[in-house]
Amino acid sequence: MEIREYIIKRILALIPLTLGITFLVFVAINFVPGDPVRIFLGIEGTEELAEQIRQQLGLDQPLLFRYFHWLGQLLQGDLGYSLLTRLPVSYELATRFMVTMQLAFFGMIFSVSLALPIGIASAIRQNTVSDFFIRIFALIGVSIPNFALGVLLILFLSNVFNWHPPIGFVNIWNNPVMALQILVLPVIALGTGMAGSVSRMTRSAMLEVLRQDYIRTARSKGLPERLIIYRHAFRNALIPILTLVGLQLGYLLGGAVIVEQIFSLPGLGRLLLTGIHNRDYPVVMGCVLVIAIVFALVNTVVDILYTFVDPRIKYQ
Amino acid sequence: MKKATNWKWLILSLAMAAVLFVGLGEGALASDNILIVAKDTEAEGFDPHTVPAASSIQIYSRIYEGLVGFNSAGEIVPELAESWEILDDTTYKFNLRQGVKFHNGREMTSADVKYSFERMIDPDVASLARSYFDMVEEIETPDDYTVIFHLDGPFADFMINIGHTYARIVPQEVIDEHGDLMNVAVGTGPFQLAEWVPDNYTLLTAFEDYWQEGIPRVDGVRYLIMEDESAQMAAIRTGHAHITDISPEGARILQGRPGVNVVEYPSFDYTYLAFNVTEPPFDNPKVRLALSYALDRELLAQVVYDGYARVTGPVPPSQEVWAVDISEYPSYETNPARARELLQEAGYNNDLSFTITSSPAYPWLVDTAVMVQEQLAGVGVDVEIKMVEWGTYIDTWINRTHQAMVGRNGAGSTPERALYFFFHTNGGANVWGFSDERFDELVEKARVVVDQGERAAIYAEAQKLLVNELAPNLFLNSPSQFYIASEDIEGFEPTPYMSEGLFPYITIEN
């Protein structure tokens, strides 16, 4: 009962939050120098022609008027049209949304399923050779930028194995084999950094918990070590890890912008980047709206998960 | 029980790994006779009358056709018009090809030609083609296969403009239905638009009723969007794509690699150092000329383009019959002493300093700015480089808020564009604030002279005046362009006049 109330409250709180974000972004992108019509026309076309096109697109209206016009349409479920392609923004977003979500989802699965075991292993074998290597790996993972790793992966596989992932994107339920082939390298490039930081967090949280009295008690009761690690220690170490994973998901969405670029994936990040480059205001606004909502939702979900992981946590 | 779960995981992950690497080593192109082209920028819509983006032209030029086109040597050749007659200085008559079908199955007639040109001229459409045809007074269609254009005065480049990429014939009913041609495409060309998934791919399929027998030779063209150049190169080498255009650095890396052909051809583009000629210090032509003497254009070509560029005047050497040989430009001789002398005459004694605006959007923009800075330091000129984002760069250029800037112009295929468009007082792209009566007079005269020899002489005079006396821009290098193609591609030999227009004539060997 109380958790339902909490969820509703959180979701209602999203509304002013996203509105605030859209307003800030709208003002910011409009104050960035650069005129979409001029970028579109390049060296072609006179100022007269540019003015005509501005009128066609409604760009000659004052800033606030345009924002509230955009907002009014948004309330009717209309995100407007791209200034360049004249495609509906909702269509542009729909075709990209699943790409980025799949990338981020698999990136998270990859990094968590790698980071948790090695983080735990590293903690229970503290200061051994394997701990040393895992820590080195984690350090490299955290340090290497995802774009560098991406390019290195492409160059390595194409030069040594003459292999390149298929280009473009197919949905995982249409063609799972090809989808996984396409996603494997970007997922590694995107997830490695997160794997590094999550494994470091897992290690330190585990070490912390393993020093607690109740672990000593459990050991002295003669419980099997496996049970101690997984049921007593890991579960208690999970809260800080969960917080980090939630935050890192946000970074995954950000990192996806660059990784999509390198691996030619038609995702939201790429749409946003081209949108900013071309000052395609409606597209930028649409992307920001979607990303802000996803980010806020993920954090809400993480907060709710706390109550399942640690029943002592209650929300009022 | 715990053990069992672990085993399950192990088997599952092994199975996944196996799935991922199925087909490893095999390039496996989607379909055998589809030409796969990697391009770095997504199209911005397909309306040939309103979209100037190169990424769009690449595609809509395969879908639409004009009355005439150009062959690889730059000569005008028939396309939708089978033949034409110039009845007098201001009257052009075109005889249309019969039986040409639009992709929707309807026959193309003179009414479509009239409609298309009227659409281009219509101010409400805001077409880029308008400035190319504002001399058209009336379009007459005596029968289904004859179109007569009446101009309001003689215009020497009229046939060239008729062949322009924007001057495409479009069907009225499609525009009536959709409002514009941004997201639909129905032309008469060898390929028709089958599918467009923005940022993912664009698929064109061969048009079966195309008027040219046996063309296109492939079943379709699939454009894949790949922004990263190392990814493009890897895709060609591993057989995931057939053709892509590429930077000089990329071309150098792949030169001589087995399985890949690097194709080089000259472009109509050139890089320049432009001045705001309305304000000191660059309102004085002496200062501008002085800087010309200070530059080593050959060295610029070596450093910026790895030598894959030629030294150029306002009309690039690739416009063969029109370009003036650079030996006729004395200021192209690197002569620091002369530079200092001219600067002194203009009142500068090692104390000239100014800002060059450039953008990190392209590596050659950065390299050119840095090289110019270094070379000018040699004659005691202090240059500061201001790097701005691309949108800001365009703003600077349009609003003339720069002192000097480096950039790159597309000089088109005739001097009309290279000279009038950029430097006539009323030229569409004269953003420099440049104006000179003698120059204006020359390019205006050349516009209406139809005899080519006489015209070339006038243009030569205009070029020499521009470089040797006025120097509104310092023209630097005309770079080569590059494609890389996998070795199974036959019939792709691009020239500045014709590159991707060759796609219908390509065959893929298996």
Coordinates of all heavy atoms in Angstrom, one line a residue, chain B residues 198-238:
Chain B
P198 N 15.7 5.9 -41.4 CA 16.6 6.9 -41.1 C 17.7 6.4 -40.2 O 17.4 5.7 -39.2 CB 15.8 8.0 -40.5 CG 14.4 7.8 -41.0 CD 14.3 6.3 -41.2
D199 N 18.9 6.8 -40.5 CA 20.1 6.5 -39.7 C 20.5 5.0 -39.8 O 21.5 4.6 -39.2 CB 20.0 6.8 -38.2 CG 20.5 8.2 -37.9 OD1 21.1 8.8 -38.8 OD2 20.4 8.6 -36.8
N200 N 19.7 4.2 -40.5 CA 20.0 2.8 -40.6 C 20.4 2.4 -42.0 O 21.6 2.2 -42.3 CB 18.8 2.0 -40.1 CG 19.2 0.5 -39.7 OD1 20.2 0.0 -40.1 ND2 18.3 -0.1 -39.0
Y201 N 19.5 2.5 -42.9 CA 19.8 2.2 -44.3 C 18.7 2.8 -45.2 O 17.6 3.1 -44.8 CB 20.0 0.8 -44.6 CG 18.7 0.0 -44.4 CD1 17.8 -0.2 -45.5 CD2 18.4 -0.6 -43.2 CE1 16.7 -0.9 -45.4 CE2 17.2 -1.3 -43.1 CZ 16.3 -1.5 -44.2 OH 15.2 -2.2 -44.0
T202 N 19.1 3.0 -46.5 CA 18.2 3.4 -47.5 C 18.3 2.4 -48.7 O 19.5 2.1 -49.1 CB 18.5 4.8 -48.1 OG1 18.6 5.7 -47.0 CG2 17.5 5.2 -49.1
L203 N 17.2 1.8 -49.1 CA 17.3 0.8 -50.2 C 16.6 1.3 -51.4 O 15.5 1.7 -51.4 CB 16.6 -0.5 -49.7 CG 16.6 -1.6 -50.7 CD1 18.0 -2.1 -51.0 CD2 15.7 -2.8 -50.3
L204 N 17.4 1.3 -52.5 CA 16.9 1.7 -53.8 C 16.8 0.4 -54.6 O 17.7 -0.4 -54.5 CB 17.8 2.7 -54.6 CG 18.1 4.0 -53.8 CD1 18.9 4.9 -54.8 CD2 16.9 4.7 -53.4
T205 N 15.7 0.2 -55.4 CA 15.7 -1.0 -56.2 C 15.7 -0.6 -57.7 O 15.2 0.5 -58.0 CB 14.5 -1.9 -55.9 OG1 13.3 -1.0 -55.9 CG2 14.6 -2.5 -54.5
A206 N 16.1 -1.5 -58.5 CA 16.1 -1.2 -60.0 C 14.7 -1.0 -60.5 O 13.8 -1.7 -60.1 CB 16.8 -2.4 -60.7
F207 N 14.6 0.0 -61.4 CA 13.2 0.3 -61.9 C 13.1 -0.5 -63.2 O 13.9 -0.2 -64.2 CB 13.1 1.8 -62.2 CG 11.9 2.3 -62.8 CD1 10.6 1.7 -62.5 CD2 11.9 3.2 -63.8 CE1 9.5 2.2 -63.1 CE2 10.7 3.7 -64.4 CZ 9.5 3.1 -64.1
E208 N 12.2 -1.4 -63.2 CA 12.1 -2.3 -64.4 C 11.7 -1.6 -65.7 O 12.2 -2.1 -66.8 CB 11.1 -3.4 -64.1 CG 11.7 -4.5 -63.2 CD 10.7 -5.5 -62.8 OE1 9.6 -5.6 -63.5 OE2 10.9 -6.2 -61.8
D209 N 10.9 -0.6 -65.6 CA 10.5 0.1 -66.9 C 11.4 1.2 -67.3 O 11.0 2.1 -68.0 CB 9.1 0.6 -66.7 CG 8.1 -0.5 -66.8 OD1 8.4 -1.5 -67.4 OD2 7.0 -0.4 -66.2
Y210 N 12.7 1.2 -66.8 CA 13.6 2.3 -67.1 C 13.8 2.4 -68.6 O 13.9 1.4 -69.3 CB 14.9 2.1 -66.4 CG 15.8 3.3 -66.5 CD1 15.4 4.6 -66.2 CD2 17.1 3.1 -67.0 CE1 16.2 5.7 -66.3 CE2 18.0 4.2 -67.1 CZ 17.5 5.5 -66.8 OH 18.4 6.6 -66.9
W211 N 13.9 3.6 -69.1 CA 13.9 3.8 -70.6 C 15.2 3.3 -71.2 O 15.2 3.0 -72.4 CB 13.6 5.2 -71.0 CG 14.5 6.3 -70.3 CD1 14.3 6.9 -69.2 CD2 15.8 6.7 -70.8 NE1 15.3 7.8 -68.8 CE2 16.3 7.7 -69.8 CE3 16.6 6.5 -71.9 CZ2 17.5 8.4 -69.9 CZ3 17.8 7.2 -72.0 CH2 18.3 8.1 -71.0
Q212 N 16.3 3.2 -70.5 CA 17.5 2.7 -71.0 C 17.6 1.2 -70.9 O 17.6 0.7 -69.7 CB 18.7 3.4 -70.3 CG 19.7 4.1 -71.2 CD 20.8 4.8 -70.4 OE1 20.5 5.5 -69.4 NE2 22.0 4.6 -70.8
E213 N 17.7 0.5 -72.0 CA 17.7 -1.0 -71.9 C 18.9 -1.5 -71.1 O 20.0 -1.0 -71.3 CB 17.8 -1.6 -73.3 CG 16.5 -1.7 -74.0 CD 15.5 -2.6 -73.3 OE1 15.9 -3.8 -73.0 OE2 14.3 -2.2 -73.1
G214 N 18.7 -2.5 -70.3 CA 19.8 -3.1 -69.6 C 20.4 -2.4 -68.4 O 21.4 -2.8 -67.9
I215 N 19.8 -1.2 -68.1 CA 20.3 -0.3 -67.1 C 19.3 -0.3 -66.0 O 18.1 -0.1 -66.4 CB 20.7 1.1 -67.6 CG1 21.7 1.0 -68.7 CG2 21.1 2.0 -66.5 CD1 23.1 0.5 -68.3
P216 N 19.5 -0.3 -64.8 CA 20.8 -0.5 -64.2 C 21.3 -2.0 -64.2 O 20.5 -2.8 -64.4 CB 20.6 -0.1 -62.7 CG 19.2 -0.3 -62.5 CD 18.5 -0.1 -63.8
R217 N 22.6 -2.2 -64.0 CA 23.1 -3.5 -64.1 C 23.0 -4.3 -62.8 O 23.3 -5.4 -62.7 CB 24.5 -3.5 -64.6 CG 24.6 -2.9 -66.0 CD 25.9 -3.0 -66.7 NE 25.8 -2.5 -68.0 CZ 26.6 -1.6 -68.5 NH1 27.7 -1.2 -67.9 NH2 26.5 -1.2 -69.8
V218 N 22.8 -3.5 -61.7 CA 22.6 -4.2 -60.4 C 21.1 -4.2 -60.0 O 20.4 -3.4 -60.6 CB 23.4 -3.5 -59.3 CG1 24.9 -3.7 -59.5 CG2 23.1 -2.0 -59.2
D219 N 20.7 -5.0 -59.1 CA 19.3 -5.1 -58.7 C 18.9 -4.0 -57.8 O 17.7 -3.8 -57.5 CB 19.0 -6.4 -58.1 CG 19.2 -7.6 -59.0 OD1 19.2 -7.3 -60.2 OD2 19.5 -8.7 -58.6
G220 N 19.9 -3.3 -57.2 CA 19.6 -2.2 -56.3 C 20.8 -1.6 -55.7 O 21.9 -2.1 -55.9
V221 N 20.6 -0.6 -54.9 CA 21.7 0.0 -54.1 C 21.2 0.1 -52.7 O 20.1 0.6 -52.4 CB 22.0 1.4 -54.6 CG1 23.2 2.0 -53.9 CG2 22.3 1.5 -56.1
R222 N 22.0 -0.4 -51.8 CA 21.7 -0.2 -50.4 C 22.7 0.7 -49.7 O 23.9 0.5 -49.8 CB 21.8 -1.6 -49.7 CG 21.4 -1.6 -48.2 CD 21.7 -2.9 -47.6 NE 20.5 -3.8 -47.8 CZ 19.5 -4.0 -46.9 NH1 19.5 -3.3 -45.8 NH2 18.5 -4.8 -47.2
Y223 N 22.3 1.9 -49.2 CA 23.1 2.8 -48.6 C 23.1 2.5 -47.1 O 22.1 2.5 -46.5 CB 22.6 4.2 -48.8 CG 22.8 4.7 -50.2 CD1 21.7 4.6 -51.1 CD2 23.9 5.3 -50.6 CE1 21.8 5.0 -52.4 CE2 24.1 5.8 -51.9 CZ 23.0 5.7 -52.8 OH 23.1 6.1 -54.1
L224 N 24.3 2.3 -46.5 CA 24.4 2.1 -45.1 C 25.0 3.3 -44.4 O 25.9 3.9 -45.0 CB 25.3 0.9 -44.8 CG 24.8 -0.5 -45.3 CD1 25.9 -1.5 -45.1 CD2 23.5 -0.9 -44.6
I225 N 24.5 3.7 -43.3 CA 25.1 4.9 -42.7 C 26.2 4.5 -41.7 O 26.0 3.7 -40.8 CB 24.0 5.7 -41.9 CG1 22.8 6.0 -42.8 CG2 24.5 6.9 -41.3 CD1 23.1 6.9 -43.9
M226 N 27.4 4.9 -42.0 CA 28.5 4.6 -41.1 C 29.3 5.9 -40.9 O 29.9 6.4 -41.9 CB 29.5 3.6 -41.8 CG 28.8 2.3 -42.1 SD 30.0 1.1 -42.6 CE 30.6 0.6 -41.1
E227 N 29.3 6.4 -39.7 CA 29.9 7.7 -39.6 C 31.4 7.6 -39.4 O 32.2 8.5 -39.8 CB 29.3 8.4 -38.3 CG 29.3 9.9 -38.4 CD 28.0 10.5 -38.0 OE1 27.0 9.8 -38.1 OE2 28.1 11.6 -37.5
D228 N 31.9 6.6 -38.8 CA 33.3 6.5 -38.4 C 34.1 5.9 -39.6 O 33.8 4.9 -40.1 CB 33.4 5.5 -37.2 CG 34.8 5.6 -36.6 OD1 35.1 6.6 -36.1 OD2 35.5 4.6 -36.8
E229 N 35.2 6.6 -39.9 CA 35.9 6.2 -41.1 C 36.6 4.9 -40.9 O 36.7 4.1 -41.9 CB 36.9 7.3 -41.5 CG 37.5 7.0 -42.9 CD 38.2 8.1 -43.5 OE1 37.5 9.0 -44.0 OE2 39.4 8.2 -43.5
S230 N 37.1 4.6 -39.7 CA 37.8 3.3 -39.5 C 36.8 2.2 -39.7 O 37.1 1.1 -40.2 CB 38.5 3.2 -38.2 OG 37.8 3.7 -37.2
A231 N 35.5 2.4 -39.3 CA 34.5 1.4 -39.5 C 34.2 1.2 -40.9 O 34.0 0.1 -41.4 CB 33.2 1.8 -38.7
Q232 N 34.2 2.3 -41.7 CA 33.9 2.3 -43.1 C 35.0 1.4 -43.8 O 34.7 0.5 -44.6 CB 33.9 3.6 -43.8 CG 32.8 4.5 -43.4 CD 32.9 5.9 -44.1 OE1 33.9 6.3 -44.6 NE2 31.8 6.7 -44.0
M233 N 36.2 1.7 -43.5 CA 37.3 1.0 -44.1 C 37.3 -0.5 -43.7 O 37.4 -1.4 -44.6 CB 38.7 1.6 -43.7 CG 38.8 3.0 -44.1 SD 40.4 3.7 -44.0 CE 41.1 3.3 -42.5
A234 N 36.9 -0.8 -42.5 CA 36.8 -2.2 -42.1 C 35.7 -2.9 -42.8 O 35.8 -4.0 -43.2 CB 36.6 -2.3 -40.5
A235 N 34.6 -2.2 -43.0 CA 33.4 -2.7 -43.7 C 33.8 -3.1 -45.2 O 33.4 -4.1 -45.7 CB 32.3 -1.8 -43.7
I236 N 34.5 -2.3 -45.8 CA 34.9 -2.6 -47.2 C 35.9 -3.8 -47.2 O 35.7 -4.7 -48.0 CB 35.7 -1.3 -47.9 CG1 34.8 -0.1 -47.9 CG2 36.2 -1.7 -49.2 CD1 33.8 0.0 -49.1
R237 N 36.8 -3.8 -46.3 CA 37.8 -4.8 -46.3 C 37.2 -6.2 -46.0 O 37.7 -7.2 -46.4 CB 39.0 -4.5 -45.4 CG 39.7 -3.2 -45.8 CD 41.0 -3.1 -45.1 NE 41.7 -4.4 -45.0 CZ 42.1 -4.9 -43.8 NH1 41.9 -4.2 -42.7 NH2 42.7 -6.0 -43.8
T238 N 36.2 -6.2 -45.1 CA 35.6 -7.5 -44.7 C 34.4 -7.8 -45.6 O 33.7 -8.8 -45.3 CB 35.1 -7.4 -43.3 OG1 34.3 -6.3 -43.1 CG2 36.3 -7.3 -42.3

